[in-house]
Amino acid sequence: MLEFILFGMFIDTHAHVNFNFFKEDADIVIKNALNEKIWMVIVGADYKSSRRALEYANKYEKGVYAAVGLHPMHLFSFRAESNEYDFQTRGEDYNNDVYEKLSSFEKVVAIGEIGLDYYHIDIGVDTKEIKARQKEVFIKQLVLARKRNLPVIIHCRQAHDDMVEVLKDFRKEYKDSMPKDRPWGVMHCFSGDEDLAWQYFNLGLIISFTGVITFSRAQDDLIRKLPNDRFMIETDCPFLTPEPYRGQRNEPLLVQYVAKQIADIKRLSVEKVAKMTTQNARRFFNI
């Protein structure tokens, strides 16, 4: 039995309840979270999971939203393995018309997750070709987001140098279309240091933390110094389950433990962190 904290309302800004890990009980997981005042953004990684994210969002009057996009890992067909997952990607060709149509629905609040992933780059294809293809599709989806006036949820793994350069160039070209009253993108599952965080802040982005911060102290100093309006919380479920449930399947209900860890580090009440992260998320996603 979980001993819930539940101080106020939380928003899990990055959940994959649309993945096969939740094939048998996704609606139960969603309802359990909603019953405890936890909202969520269900995030796509390819066309199939993006469409499923929208289908789930459309089933609920409020509290469940969708993001649609093509993750860089799904541009090629290969076996993706880590401590958290083991699956076969299908290799999808990006179709802008398809994602533009998906993004036109009311419950879609972001384009994502999109970005660069050099961690899974040794897949039998030329390295330069993979990086060039990832950048090309990433930029196309950034353009789509500006066209649709939607924020972007950005994935970056072992590619921050290239990511910063791509975002600098893009922001310079599309600066006039960037929202003036809120960030235009979030670096999801942020794992960098204070210097990298401020590079992204200066580009008009914010960052988001997962359950990793409950079992790693690497970002404590960053979190301690963070301005209260520059971050959100997420689960990235079913992955990155926070303590004390590490090793089990993650779900939106557990986002509260990410908030609690931030509260402990910043010496704030959990109620305060709940309020600020919910405000940040509602502003970012315009919900």
Side-chain angles (χ1 to χ4, degrees):
M1 179 69 68
L2 295 173
E3 296 179 3
F4 297 121
I5 301 161
L6 295 174
F7 292 99
M9 173 183 167
F10 299 94
I11 299 180
D12 179 359
T13 61
H14 197 111
H16 293 299
V17 185
N18 49 335
F19 282 10
N20 285 337
F21 294 87
F22 297 97
K23 187 175 183 179
E24 302 300 325
D25 63 347
D27 282 303
I28 294 172
V29 168
I30 292 170
K31 290 174 183 176
N32 285 344
L34 293 177
N35 287 340
E36 303 295 347
K37 298 190 293 184
I38 295 175
W39 289 10
M40 70 199 71
V41 178
I42 303 178
V43 181
D46 57 6
Y47 172 70
K48 186 176 180 181
S49 60
S50 293
R51 186 182 63 187
R52 193 180 299 130
L54 178 57
E55 289 171 353
Y56 281 125
N58 282 335
K59 292 173 70 173
Y60 299 88
E61 183 178 353
K62 67 177 183 178
V64 183
Y65 304 91
V68 300
L70 180 56
H71 191 292
M73 284 173 59
H74 289 281
L75 290 173
F76 302 91
S77 178
F78 71 102
R79 183 73 170 269
E81 296 179 84
S82 79
N83 292 333
E84 293 276 345
Y85 52 77
D86 182 355
F87 62 91
Q88 178 71 35
T89 66
R90 288 183 289 274
E92 178 183 324
D93 291 326
Y94 177 70
N95 186 320
N96 195 76
D97 292 339
V98 165
Y99 284 96
E100 183 169 358
K101 184 176 180 180
L102 279 177
S103 70
S104 68
F105 288 87
E106 182 180 0
K107 278 297 193 76
V108 174
V109 296
I111 301 297
E113 66 185 283
I114 63 176
L116 303 176
D117 190 314
Y118 296 169
Y119 177 79
H120 297 97
I121 209 163
D122 185 17
I123 56 176
V125 182
D126 180 71
T127 297
K128 290 182 180 179
E129 178 186 338
I130 295 173
K131 291 183 177 181
R133 178 97 175 274
Q134 286 192 13
K135 290 177 185 177
E136 176 190 359
V137 173
F138 178 41
I139 291 169
K140 285 181 178 179
Q141 293 182 93
L142 290 175
V143 172
L144 173 60
R146 297 289 11 102
K147 181 177 180 179
R148 298 289 308 143
N149 193 29
L150 292 171
V152 288
I153 299 172
I154 301 173
H155 169 97
C156 185
R157 194 168 186 186
Q158 296 186 3
H160 285 289
D161 288 345
D162 282 359
M163 176 62 71
V164 169
E165 289 306 309
V166 169
L167 293 178
K168 279 182 179 178
D169 291 343
F170 183 80
R171 186 169 184 256
K172 188 181 298 183
E173 183 174 354
Y174 288 87
K175 192 171 184 179
D176 291 342
S177 70
M178 299 291 181
K180 303 298 187 292
D181 59 338
R182 64 184 187 274
W184 62 278
V186 58
M187 300 305 299
H188 124 80
C189 192
F190 185 73
S191 59
D193 59 15
E194 186 178 359
D195 177 68
L196 183 59
W198 277 99
Q199 289 186 62
Y200 288 126
F201 295 158
N202 290 334
L203 289 169
L205 308 177
I206 58 175
I207 61 179
S208 184
F209 295 103
T210 66
V212 170
I213 66 170
T214 68
F215 52 82
S216 169
R217 304 276 74 82
Q219 293 181 296
D220 283 13
D221 194 48
L222 165 63
I223 292 170
R224 197 172 293 114
K225 297 176 181 178
L226 263 183
N228 292 343
D229 63 346
R230 298 294 183 99
F231 69 93
M232 301 189 295
I233 55 176
E234 61 170 288
T235 58
D236 199 20
C237 68
F239 316 116
L240 307 180
T241 309
E243 295 288 1
Y245 301 101
R246 194 177 178 194
Q248 302 177 33
R249 185 187 67 172
N250 202 0
E251 60 182 75
L253 199 55
L254 300 183
V255 76
Q256 60 190 295
Y257 291 97
V258 182
K260 182 181 184 300
Q261 186 65 24
I262 291 172
D264 290 345
I265 293 169
K266 293 178 79 68
R267 296 185 178 179
L268 299 171
S269 68
V270 180
E271 293 94 332
K272 177 71 173 176
V273 174
K275 183 177 181 180
M276 72 174 62
T277 56
T278 296
Q279 288 177 338
N280 293 345
R282 295 189 78 162
R283 176 170 166 244
F284 181 80
F285 293 112
N286 194 29
I287 56 177

